[in-house]
């Protein structure tokens, strides 16, 4: 019996889940030859270490039963209740998403997130992926590359967005050698000396820092040395033309103290002794990163005038950095009067603790910390969108409430025009059947069949509406040859001032135009800022009106638009 399991009493849901999964997976093994149940327990253990609630751990132990065994969702509901059943169902749906094909990476991330209305679903999936990556050497070589790519492109960025830096970094590092074997070998070989060199240096530095803090009467909880992860180092090296000399944070010193007051006190004491390098000081406590990351970062000329990066934070910030939303979850569990379950991404109540969710929510209301924000959050909100799949597992992005007709026109105008019915998840449905995220849709067509004006009553996508209307007008022949625009993208360059981006996006909401994607960039000098706003297809009149409106915004220098297809 594993240690972590022992803390749960006999007959507790966790122990029952273990027995249930063991029975369900009986006789099956992992690629390593180990009994399959070892994987289920490992995933449960990871969530246990993240201090997640019991339902999550039960669902983690059961997470592969529906996908891989004869177990039905109703069995799980009967044995473990609705909450666990929903978690397992969410994880199963994510597992079914097939990576590759024509799917856009960002769409896949959105698809994964849209199945994770309860945040615990994605946490279970991340733990699952973490264990699969930790045991990836047992897989066939081509499988390894495929899983690694999916990990780096889908799961590591999601973990990062959830503020789980450590998990995101570990996933990337596990995938790195399979994705870029040559680069990995080169890096390991070249970084090694540098790493040792820096480690020796950091060892010399530690007593000095201890003394500095002692003189300032600050008691640190710990002083650590952090080696940069290989994959993030690799990404950084690419940005710096593979020049090691330009990268200073191979090894960072991390000082952990009791409270925020002490963080700034440490900073003051350090800066008193060693000269800080201009432009390298970052106060992520006053201005946290969008994923919730908080710390003070400074780079100083330390011993022997060597450039050294130092991070200062509290213990709580440290845990959040490592475990992100899982740490928030654990804190929340401790408090009795806070809601036990986060119902949805939108339903999160505790603003302060779940800063990243708050920031996700307010993303279009403007933000101060531009670069970081854009790096970490490119997901627009999917509450108005659904993600469905073709039988070949390509992901199709449609407005909420869409029907098989919308889907068919999204595939091709001919498929839409000749649609006579559809199968959703293998079952025949009427053509006005409402689709939901995760549905697999197959369109049935009949040659020579014509679209019906009646369809306009229920279709949701502008693409479908346009084709049907045009067909009714007899203009379809012309239209089918050229793809109609699917949306409009505005580009507004202006002086960098607080709330500029917010004013732009507000102009759209004032005009009741739904924004699909917002993207903000600033130039090197940060004097100018460019806001790109993508919205659905709007009339030319509306476009003109928006241009006039945007031109009246303070600081605006240039605005233009283009149709997107
Ligand atoms: Mn699994």
């Amino acid at each position: 019996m594993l240690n972590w399991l022992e803390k749960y009493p006999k007959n507790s849901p966790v122990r029952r889940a273990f027995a249930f999964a063991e029975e369900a997976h009986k006789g099956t093994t992992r690629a390593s030859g180990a009994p399959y149940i070892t994987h289920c327990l490992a995933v449960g253990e990871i969530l246990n270490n993240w201090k997640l609630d019991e339902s999550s751990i039960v669902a983690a132990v059961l997470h592969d039963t529906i996908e891989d065994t004869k177990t039905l969702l109703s069995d799980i509901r009967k044995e473990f209740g609705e909450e666990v059943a929903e978690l397992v169902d969410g994880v199963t749906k994510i597992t079914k998403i097939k990576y590759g094909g024509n799917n856009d990476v960002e769409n896949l991330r959105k698809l994964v997130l849209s199945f994770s209305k309860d945040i615990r679903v994605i946490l279970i999936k991340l733990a699952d992926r973490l264990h699969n990556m930790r045991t990836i050497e047992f897989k066939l070589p081509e499988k390894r590359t495929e899983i690694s790519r999916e990990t780096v492109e889908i799961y590591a960025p999601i973990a990062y967005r959830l503020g789980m830096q450590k998990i995101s970094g570990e996933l990337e590092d596990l995938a790195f050698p399979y994705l870029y074997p040559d680069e990995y070998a080169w890096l390991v070989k070249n970084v090694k000396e540098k790493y040792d060199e820096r480690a020796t240096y950091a060892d010399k530095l530690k007593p000095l820092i201890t003394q500095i803090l002692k003189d300032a009467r600050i008691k640190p909880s710990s002083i650590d040395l952090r080696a940069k992860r290989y994959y993030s180092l690799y990404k950084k090296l690419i940005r710096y033309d593979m020049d090691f000399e330009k990268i200073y944070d191979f090894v960072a010193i991390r000082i952990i103290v009791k409270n925020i007051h002490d963080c700034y006190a440490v900073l003051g004491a350090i800066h008193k002794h060693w000269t800080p390098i201009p432009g390298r000081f970052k106060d992520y406590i006053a201005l946290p990163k969008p994923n919730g990351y908080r710390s003070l970062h400074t780079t100083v000329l330390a011993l022997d005038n060597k450039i050294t990066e130092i991070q200062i934070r509290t213990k709580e910030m440290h845990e959040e950095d490592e475990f992100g939303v899982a740490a928030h979850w654990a804190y929340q569990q401790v408090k009795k009067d806070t809601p036990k379950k986060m119902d949805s991404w939108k339903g999160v109540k505790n603003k302060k603790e779940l800063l990243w969710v708050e920031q996700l929510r307010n993303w279009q209301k403007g933000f101060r910390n531009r670069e970081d924000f854009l790096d970490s959050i490119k997901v627009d909100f999917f509450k108005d969108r659904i993600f469905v799949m073709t039988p070949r597992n390509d992901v199709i992005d449609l407005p909420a409430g869409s029907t098989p007709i919308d889907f068919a026109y999204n595939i091709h105008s001919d498929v839409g025009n000749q649609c006579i019915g559809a199968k959703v998840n293998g079952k025949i449905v009427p053509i006005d059947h409402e689709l939901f995220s995760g549905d697999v849709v197959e369109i049935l067509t009949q040659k020579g069949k014509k679209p019906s004006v009646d369809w306009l009553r229920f279709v949701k996508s502008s693409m479908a509406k346009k084709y049907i209307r045009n067909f009714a007008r007899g203009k379809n022949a012309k239209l089918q040859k050229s793809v109609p625009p699917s949306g409009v993208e505005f580009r507004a360059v202006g002086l960098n001032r607080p709330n500029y981006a917010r004013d732009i996006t507000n102009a759209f909401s004032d005009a009741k135009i739904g924004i699909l994607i917002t993207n903000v960039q600033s130039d090197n000098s940060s004097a100018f800022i460019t806001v790109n706003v993508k919205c659905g297809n709007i009339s030319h009149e509306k476009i003109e009106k928006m241009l006039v409106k945007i031109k009246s915004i303070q600081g605006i220098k240039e605005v233009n638009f283009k149709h997107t297809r």
Side-chain angles (χ1 to χ4, degrees):
M1 180 69 62
L2 292 153
N3 282 339
W4 72 271
L5 263 182
E6 274 170 6
K7 95 175 189 208
Y8 293 94
K10 254 189 191 156
N11 267 324
S12 64
V14 173
R15 289 279 199 105
R16 284 197 291 116
F18 168 49
F20 187 96
E22 195 176 37
E23 180 61 30
H25 292 289
K26 203 158 94 183
T28 55
T29 52
R30 300 268 292 166
S32 63
Y36 200 91
I37 187 73
T38 55
H39 167 66
C40 313
L41 288 177
V43 177
E45 185 175 12
I46 292 170
L47 292 178
N48 177 70
N49 294 344
W50 291 351
K51 301 187 179 68
L52 259 82
D53 65 315
E54 198 171 51
S55 296
S56 310
I57 296 166
V58 169
V61 173
L62 300 170
H63 80 275
D64 276 327
T65 51
I66 295 184
E67 179 72 0
D68 295 346
T69 77
K70 289 181 305 211
T71 309
L72 299 172
L73 191 59
S74 53
D75 300 335
I76 290 183
R77 192 175 292 122
K78 210 173 92 200
E79 283 292 320
F80 300 99
E82 188 58 39
E83 189 180 358
V84 169
E86 280 194 12
L87 293 173
V88 176
D89 188 41
V91 179
T92 307
K93 278 185 175 162
I94 295 177
T95 306
K96 278 191 189 146
I97 301 170
K98 288 293 175 293
Y99 178 75
N102 303 321
N103 294 327
D104 170 54
V105 171
E106 195 51 44
N107 261 359
L108 285 167
R109 283 183 210 144
K110 283 188 239 170
L111 185 60
V112 169
L113 291 174
S114 74
F115 288 150
S116 310
K117 295 234 164 57
D118 186 322
I119 260 158
R120 294 173 295 176
V121 169
I122 193 66
L123 295 177
I124 296 168
K125 189 62 205 173
L126 287 172
D128 174 47
R129 181 49 58 111
L130 195 57
H131 183 248
N132 285 338
M133 286 306 295
R134 283 174 181 168
T135 53
I136 195 171
E137 77 260 28
F138 299 108
K139 290 274 184 187
L140 293 170
E142 61 270 24
K143 265 278 172 208
R144 283 182 213 155
T145 323
E146 189 188 313
I147 297 170
S148 297
R149 175 147 296 127
E150 192 183 68
T151 298
V152 160
E153 293 190 344
I154 312 289
Y155 292 101
I158 288 176
Y160 185 84
R161 279 175 201 172
L162 298 186
M164 308 171 86
Q165 306 239 82
K166 189 183 175 198
I167 309 307
S168 168
E170 185 176 349
L171 286 172
E172 286 181 339
D173 257 15
L174 288 166
F176 186 28
Y178 301 106
L179 282 183
Y180 306 103
D182 298 342
E183 288 85 345
Y184 176 78
W186 179 84
L187 206 59
V188 170
K189 194 170 147 242
N190 284 281
V191 173
K192 202 168 186 320
E193 307 163 51
K194 288 274 183 184
Y195 183 95
D196 291 345
E197 219 172 87
R198 297 268 174 174
T200 315
Y201 174 69
D203 282 346
K204 274 200 279 181
L205 215 54
K206 200 172 167 175
L208 293 179
I209 293 174
T210 309
Q211 191 58 49
I212 290 171
L213 299 190
K214 205 172 168 192
D215 292 347
R217 294 169 197 281
I218 304 161
K219 256 196 174 161
S221 301
S222 67
I223 300 173
D224 296 317
L225 178 155
R226 182 182 67 105
K228 192 132 185 102
R229 284 193 181 268
Y230 279 122
Y231 190 71
S232 73
L233 188 57
Y234 172 65
K235 284 191 286 189
K236 202 158 190 171
L237 277 167
I238 294 173
R239 286 210 299 277
Y240 289 89
D241 304 323
M242 304 310 267
D243 185 353
F244 276 109
E245 297 305 316
K246 286 184 189 151
I247 293 176
Y248 307 125
D249 50 355
F250 285 98
V251 174
I253 313 290
R254 185 182 283 157
I255 302 169
I256 294 168
V257 290
K258 273 186 221 69
N259 51 46
I260 293 180
H261 177 269
D262 279 1
C263 291
Y264 290 101
V266 169
L267 184 79
I270 300 273
H271 282 182
K272 211 168 108 188
H273 272 80
W274 291 317
T275 311
I277 295 182
R280 298 274 304 188
F281 167 60
K282 286 184 187 116
D283 187 344
Y284 293 123
I285 293 179
L287 286 173
K289 286 194 189 185
N291 67 0
Y293 178 79
R294 291 183 297 164
S295 269
L296 299 177
H297 287 193
T298 188
T299 306
V300 296
L301 292 172
L303 185 63
D304 306 329
N305 272 339
K306 273 196 183 168
I307 294 172
T308 308
E309 188 183 290
I310 297 174
Q311 300 180 351
I312 307 155
R313 56 172 76 156
T314 65
K315 214 174 159 197
E316 188 189 337
M317 293 173 195
H318 183 58
E319 276 180 23
E320 282 174 14
D321 179 34
E322 303 225 304
F323 301 117
V325 68
H328 288 298
W329 181 267
Y331 294 140
Q332 197 165 330
Q333 286 297 104
V334 175
K335 292 184 184 166
K336 282 196 182 101
D337 49 359
T338 43
K340 207 178 157 204
K341 184 178 166 186
M342 287 189 264
D343 286 320
S344 74
W345 293 67
K346 293 190 302 164
V348 177
K349 302 230 166 51
N350 197 330
K351 285 186 186 177
K352 213 174 170 190
E353 283 195 353
L354 285 160
L355 183 82
W356 66 273
V357 174
E358 179 64 9
Q359 261 157 332
L360 270 172
R361 237 165 63 166
N362 288 338
W363 73 286
Q364 52 181 349
K365 292 188 191 160
F367 29 81
R368 297 159 85 175
N369 206 348
R370 291 180 321 280
E371 309 104 3
D372 290 322
F373 184 81
L374 288 161
D375 276 346
S376 53
I377 295 163
K378 283 174 188 150
V379 174
D380 58 326
F381 266 105
F382 31 79
K383 66 172 195 278
D384 302 324
R385 310 293 295 174
I386 56 163
F387 301 91
V388 292
M389 287 179 281
T390 68
R392 291 209 316 265
N393 294 316
D394 290 331
V395 177
I396 306 288
D397 176 357
L398 293 170
S402 283
T403 63
I405 296 290
D406 294 286
F407 179 91
Y409 276 110
N410 197 290
I411 303 283
H412 194 274
S413 57
D414 285 344
V415 180
N417 287 338
Q418 301 178 11
C419 178
I420 53 158
K423 276 188 190 172
V424 171
N425 304 325
K427 281 188 197 131
I428 301 259
V429 297
I431 50 172
D432 61 350
H433 173 88
E434 184 179 350
L435 301 175
F436 291 97
S437 275
D439 284 345
V440 177
V441 185
E442 191 183 336
I443 297 296
L444 310 170
T445 56
Q446 191 181 72
K447 258 219 145 92
K449 177 85 178 43
K450 302 269 187 306
S452 156
V453 191
D454 252 19
W455 294 354
L456 286 170
R457 282 189 297 109
F458 56 78
V459 294
K460 288 284 181 297
S461 60
S462 48
M463 193 187 265
K465 283 179 190 163
K466 190 156 221 164
Y467 275 121
I468 299 164
R469 280 201 193 111
N470 279 292
F471 200 95
R473 288 183 205 139
K475 287 183 190 164
N476 64 307
K478 236 193 243 165
L479 224 118
Q480 277 175 47
K481 278 179 194 144
S482 65
V483 186
S486 64
V488 181
E489 188 175 341
F490 290 86
R491 182 171 162 273
V493 186
L495 286 175
N496 193 356
R497 61 163 176 90
N499 296 334
Y500 169 76
R502 195 183 65 183
D503 290 348
I504 300 279
T505 53
N506 279 351
F508 282 85
S509 37
D510 290 347
K512 303 216 161 38
I513 296 172
I515 296 176
L516 299 177
I517 299 168
T518 308
N519 181 308
V520 181
Q521 292 151 351
S522 62
D523 63 345
N524 286 336
S525 69
S526 288
F528 292 97
I529 170 167
T530 304
V531 180
N532 289 300
V533 174
K534 237 187 198 173
C535 57
N537 208 3
I538 54 175
S539 68
H540 205 79
E541 263 174 57
K542 266 199 168 167
I543 295 174
E544 300 281 19
K545 265 192 196 158
M546 276 320 293
L547 291 175
V548 173
K549 219 170 189 180
I550 294 169
K551 275 179 196 159
S552 71
I553 286 170
Q554 192 201 332
I556 190 83
K557 290 284 161 204
E558 189 192 323
V559 57
N560 50 41
F561 77 97
K562 63 174 186 202
H563 283 287
T564 55
R565 276 163 216 278

